[in-house]
Amino acid sequence: MIYPMAVMVLLIFLVGFYALGARIRAVRSKALSIKYFKLMGGEAAPDDVVKSTRCFNNLFEVPTLFFAAGVAALVTGATGSAMLLFAWLFVVSRAVQAFVHLTDNNVRARALSYFSSLINVAIMWVLLVVHVA
């Protein structure tokens, strides 16, 4: 269970560094003033800055349910093969979503990967509840 969670943390760091790079590039190229970052507004940010920031923020929404389920599975011993399978499927679907978000940003593909991750984490919670009950 720890490996999918560690890979998810790695994904968050990678997207975070990508977002930081997008911000630095935007300021250096004068596409965006550094003052923008005081309140995250006041001028239109380049698409790369908006996409990468939103993608990074997304990794602190539904993934919190994943990390909670992962820790609960470790504590309760609900780390069987089904739990591990759905944990990996969650991580893969979130990686796909981040990749799509940061590249061509195809909304349909992004939505499919998002809903796949949502279903996978829901199944993880069902497995956890069944194990504890």
Side-chain angles (χ1 to χ4, degrees), residues 12-130:
I12 292 168
F13 276 110
L14 290 174
V15 172
F17 285 123
Y18 182 90
L20 177 62
R23 291 173 179 197
I24 291 169
R25 286 189 300 277
V27 171
R28 282 187 178 159
S29 70
K30 300 198 187 309
L32 192 60
S33 164
I34 199 161
K35 291 178 182 179
Y36 171 85
F37 298 103
K38 284 186 176 182
L39 298 174
M40 299 300 279
E43 58 187 288
D47 287 351
D48 195 36
V49 171
V50 174
K51 285 192 317 184
S52 62
T53 299
R54 186 66 189 128
C55 184
F56 184 68
N57 291 342
N58 284 342
L59 293 172
F60 291 96
E61 294 171 355
V62 173
T64 58
L65 297 172
F66 167 73
F67 287 119
V71 170
L74 287 168
V75 168
T76 63
T79 56
S81 57
M83 181 67 82
L84 197 55
L85 171 67
F86 287 105
W88 278 116
L89 289 173
F90 176 85
V91 172
V92 168
S93 61
R94 290 310 299 224
V96 168
Q97 182 192 16
F99 179 78
V100 170
H101 203 165
L102 297 173
T103 57
D104 69 351
N105 204 15
N106 179 295
V107 175
R108 182 168 290 162
R110 205 174 87 214
L112 285 172
S113 58
Y114 171 80
F115 286 116
S116 173
S117 73
L118 200 59
I119 289 167
N120 287 311
V121 79
I123 292 170
M124 288 175 67
W125 274 99
V126 169
L127 292 172
L128 183 61
V129 169
V130 167

